[in-house]
Amino acid sequence: MRRRYPPIGDHGLVGDLQTAALVSSEGVIDWFCAPRFDSPSLFAALLDHDRGGHFALTVEGDDVTTRQLYLADTAVLVTRFLTPGGVGEVIDFMPVDRPETATDRRTLVRIMRVTRGRIRFMLSCRPRFDYARAGHRLDLRPDTALFAGPGSDAYLQTAGPITLEADGDDVRAAVELGHGERAAVVLTVGATGTPPPAAPTADSLREEFDATRGYWYRWVRRSRYRGRWQDMVHRSAITLKLLTYAPTGAPVAAATAGLPEQPGGERNWDYRFTWVRDASLSMRALLGLGFTDEAQAFRRWLGARLQEGRTVTGEPLQIMYRIDGDPHLAEETLDHLEGYRGSSPVRIGNNAAGQLQLDIYGEAVHALSGTDDITHIAGYDGWLALSGLLDWLTRNWDRPDEGIWETRGGRQDFTYSRLMCWTAFDRGIRLARDFARPADLAGWTAARDAVLHQVMDRGWSESRGAFVQHYGSEVLDASLLLMPAVGFVAPRDPRWLSTLDAMEADLVSDSLVYRYDPAASPDGLRGGEGTFSLCSFLYVDALARSGRVDTARYAFDKMLTYANHVGLFAEEIGLTGEQLGNFPQAFTHLALIGAALALDEELDRAER
């Protein structure tokens, strides 16, 4: 019997670079939004088993063991069913066809095959349009079902010995296959009135499969990574690519909305948007592997945000946007959904878009730097926008803000925000000098130096022997693990080594790292959370840079054991090792890549 709520980590991800779907290890698609990542859901059983909707291809029987894997170096997912009567597989993928062109049509391909004995597959397709707020009409033929919803249609087409049956306004089917036999179902979602696609055939499905697999093979071959952890690094790179909206080059923070940081708690956010911070760091990670096209596409997107200047805050940038650059992300609660394992409220949209988080300026300018040209800043007008941002920052860096973790407990003078303001000025000065661009170098330099002096004076606690979360506090914050990575402190500076020791004592649990202690630094939200996987990998990076290579490698190897069965990570790790929060999380995968690169560099140096 299908579980009501499989573990968050018990999923693989498939996508076509405009949206993505989660497939549980039982063969159930329980999260899918179309036509974009931030569109309303069609299947959302992960947020409400009864009301959310699903697309299941499972195997009948109580004595069934499942296994799930990716075809190596691809986003093609295979779910295997091992039974006393035989072994069957469901192969899931989304064709990647001209992904840079935005369209309303999305396609999910699900191929069933039997490799031993005989298997009886059970199909259930129960779409629930608009986050299960809207009904639909079923028009059923033996090999095609049309689900007509508000503003969009979904066609389910079959290939092979499958006869669809009505189940109210949904469909079901039983498919029995023997050794070597195949069947398939293809779900196509498009705008209302979209003509049905051509009926799938064995030949057309083989062509789609080969083309999709070939696309991912060619993409991964562009990686220049030859280090010690190729499988995990390339899986993380593929995941970051899957989380990128190809028409604009904008990465989303995660594929999902509303998954809890604590089961039953209220820390349930919508992550299907582009955070300037997360996206900038994702770009830097992919660039470190040699994926320059993705880096340039994001830089163009970011440069456009700078030039447009459209924000809900009135500031040069806001912390997040929709994937097309729209700054409006009004938050609402879906009270009709019970939430994952009763975790409510279920939120879509994100009111944090209106927060002041000054660190984003450092991540943004850092993302636009470190390149051989600045065409991504769109010439003279683009440079004026960037220099105007830095001029604005010289007048505004010394302000309390909400900080990197988007706390809802009031503004503070966060040390990390100051750190990244320093980074913004430092990288801006380098850009102006390297490309001989007009700039207030004296003003930027004065602001850069003032930030550094202030952090060293007020962000350092003599009693703790560490840099602290915000001025006047004694609380530690794992975001400061980035201090040596951005060049603010030397990785073996005594103050930094002392900070690492303090973090190990306060925030590290068996190599897993908490962001901060909410009890010591209230964040305005009830409940707690797990260790933050981004921070666990940043800890590895910092250890490696600081010369503690053996400790770093051990922590990295242990952290890899917390990946799910196909190498994916959510946002956090719970007390018993379970994945928590939205899934899969770009933050975690970009930090894994960064940690691997830092470790490889230090290990290579030690071996020379």
Side-chain angles (χ1 to χ4, degrees):
M1 184 175 179
R2 184 164 69 93
R3 294 168 293 181
R4 286 184 61 81
Y5 291 104
I8 290 171
D10 198 20
H11 292 84
L13 183 77
V14 296
D16 63 358
L17 311 185
Q18 295 193 26
T19 191
L22 292 187
V23 187
S24 79
S25 67
E26 295 177 323
V28 180
I29 295 176
D30 51 21
W31 180 258
F32 178 58
C33 300
R36 309 190 328 183
F37 292 105
D38 57 355
S39 297
S41 64
L42 185 67
F43 304 123
L46 204 52
L47 297 180
D48 194 308
H49 174 87
D50 298 320
R51 300 181 184 89
H54 67 258
F55 183 8
L57 270 181
T58 57
V59 167
E60 191 177 57
D62 295 328
D63 191 10
V64 179
T65 301
T66 62
R67 296 285 186 270
Q68 200 171 53
L69 68 150
Y70 280 111
L71 297 186
D73 290 341
T74 78
V76 177
L77 188 69
V78 180
T79 306
R80 308 192 73 215
F81 300 89
L82 289 71
T83 78
V87 177
E89 297 179 342
V90 172
I91 302 169
D92 284 301
F93 64 92
M94 295 184 70
V96 182
D97 182 24
R98 296 188 297 276
E100 291 79 16
T101 301
T103 67
D104 289 333
R105 178 170 285 196
R106 305 269 71 79
T107 302
L108 275 162
V109 178
R110 315 199 71 188
I111 299 172
M112 295 163 276
R113 69 177 185 178
V114 173
T115 57
R116 298 178 66 183
R118 296 192 68 80
I119 293 289
R120 185 177 173 85
F121 293 94
M122 307 301 295
L123 180 152
S124 172
C125 187
R126 302 173 63 85
R128 295 294 181 266
F129 291 81
D130 190 24
Y131 303 109
R133 293 183 293 194
H136 64 270
R137 174 179 55 84
L138 173 66
D139 182 1
L140 180 62
R141 299 177 184 179
D143 58 357
T144 302
L146 165 62
F147 305 99
S152 61
D153 293 338
Y155 290 94
L156 183 66
Q157 298 173 296
T158 67
I162 306 172
T163 301
L164 300 175
E165 300 176 358
D167 182 13
D169 288 329
D170 306 316
V171 297
R172 63 189 176 193
V175 188
E176 186 165 332
L177 301 174
H179 171 71
E181 294 181 333
R182 298 176 179 234
V185 285
V186 178
L187 182 74
T188 304
V189 183
T192 296
T194 301
T201 65
D203 288 342
S204 68
L205 291 169
R206 168 56 66 179
E207 290 174 2
E208 292 275 26
F209 173 81
D210 288 342
T212 303
R213 183 176 57 177
Y215 173 87
W216 289 107
Y217 282 165
R218 290 189 298 275
W219 187 80
V220 170
R221 278 201 298 270
R222 290 167 45 204
S223 170
R224 64 186 181 207
Y225 181 73
R226 300 294 182 269
R228 296 165 176 80
W229 295 279
Q230 286 192 35
D231 287 346
M232 289 301 294
V233 167
H234 285 159
R235 179 53 52 199
S236 289
I238 290 171
T239 303
L240 293 181
K241 180 70 169 173
L242 281 171
L243 294 175
T244 300
Y245 184 65
T248 64
V252 296
T256 58
L259 294 181
E261 298 173 18
Q262 180 184 47
E266 66 169 338
R267 299 167 185 260
N268 320 313
W269 315 109
D270 190 346
Y271 277 12
R272 299 169 299 150
F273 308 117
T274 301
W275 270 253
V276 169
R277 173 191 312 114
D278 303 40
S280 297
L281 294 172
S282 292
M283 182 278 298
R284 299 291 299 191
L286 288 175
L287 191 61
L289 301 179
F291 293 107
T292 55
D293 290 348
E294 287 72 17
Q296 287 298 87
F298 171 69
R299 284 167 166 162
R300 287 192 294 271
W301 180 91
L302 181 58
R305 305 289 75 73
L306 278 173
Q307 289 195 74
E308 288 176 3
R310 286 200 309 142
T311 64
V312 298
T313 60
E315 290 150 6
L317 285 175
Q318 65 184 47
I319 69 167
M320 72 180 94
Y321 300 82
R322 292 192 180 275
I323 49 182
D324 58 6
D326 187 340
H328 300 286
L329 289 79
E331 185 173 298
E332 60 180 306
T333 299
L334 302 180
D335 292 325
H336 64 289
L337 299 180
E338 73 169 359
Y340 177 82
R341 296 185 180 177
S343 303
S344 63
V346 174
R347 299 179 178 93
I348 55 173
N350 201 313
N351 280 344
Q355 288 191 352
L356 175 66
Q357 296 179 22
L358 291 168
D359 70 281
I360 65 169
Y361 297 102
E363 283 107 4
V365 182
H366 189 42
L368 294 170
S369 65
T371 179
D372 293 332
D373 65 71
I374 53 172
T375 56
H376 49 274
I377 310 178
Y380 178 69
D381 292 335
W383 175 258
L384 290 182
L386 178 60
S387 62
L389 177 153
L390 287 164
D391 290 342
W392 176 90
L393 195 60
T394 62
R395 303 185 299 273
N396 287 274
W397 66 266
D398 196 12
R399 296 166 60 188
D401 69 350
E402 274 88 5
I404 179 176
W405 307 128
E406 298 173 6
T407 61
R408 302 193 177 189
R411 293 182 176 181
Q412 299 285 351
D413 291 307
F414 284 103
T415 306
Y416 180 78
S417 298
R418 300 297 197 274
L419 164 71
M420 296 313 293
C421 287
W422 177 90
T423 303
F425 293 126
D426 179 72
R427 302 314 190 263
I429 291 166
R430 296 185 195 186
L431 280 171
R433 287 175 173 164
D434 289 347
F435 296 102
R437 290 299 188 264
D440 178 15
L441 286 176
W444 297 359
T445 301
R448 181 198 63 187
D449 295 347
V451 176
L452 188 144
H453 287 307
Q454 189 188 86
V455 170
M456 290 298 184
D457 181 39
R458 301 178 62 193
W460 170 260
S461 168
E462 288 288 350
S463 60
R464 293 302 313 271
F467 292 102
V468 292
Q469 183 182 63
H470 59 80
Y471 300 166
S473 79
E474 297 290 291
V475 176
L476 303 183
D477 192 311
S479 64
L480 297 177
L481 287 164
L482 278 168
M483 289 182 109
V486 299
F488 186 86
V489 296
R492 304 193 188 194
D493 183 292
R495 286 196 183 198
W496 175 244
L497 295 177
S498 177
T499 299
L500 260 185
D501 292 339
M503 287 188 182
E504 182 175 2
D506 274 27
L507 301 180
V508 179
S509 173
D510 192 32
S511 300
L512 300 174
V513 182
Y514 290 94
R515 294 189 290 183
Y516 56 92
D517 181 0
S521 179
D523 54 16
L525 297 165
R526 297 189 304 274
E529 58 181 22
T531 57
F532 208 74
S533 296
L534 162 77
C535 299
S536 298
F537 284 120
L538 292 182
Y539 179 58
V540 171
D541 189 308
L543 286 171
R545 292 173 186 270
S546 301
R548 303 176 181 182
V549 181
D550 290 341
T551 304
R553 185 167 190 172
Y554 184 49
F556 187 71
D557 286 339
K558 281 200 292 186
M559 188 61 194
L560 295 184
T561 68
Y562 290 99
N564 82 344
H565 56 289
V566 290
L568 303 183
F569 286 90
E571 187 175 24
E572 301 181 7
I573 302 294
L575 284 176
T576 57
E578 72 273 20
Q579 306 274 353
L580 296 174
N582 284 305
F583 179 88
Q585 177 80 1
F587 243 174
T588 306
H589 288 279
L590 69 89
L592 184 156
I593 292 171
L597 291 172
L599 257 179
D600 276 319
E601 182 179 348
E602 295 300 326
L603 288 167
D604 289 346
R605 182 179 291 113
E607 292 170 1
R608 283 199 290 267

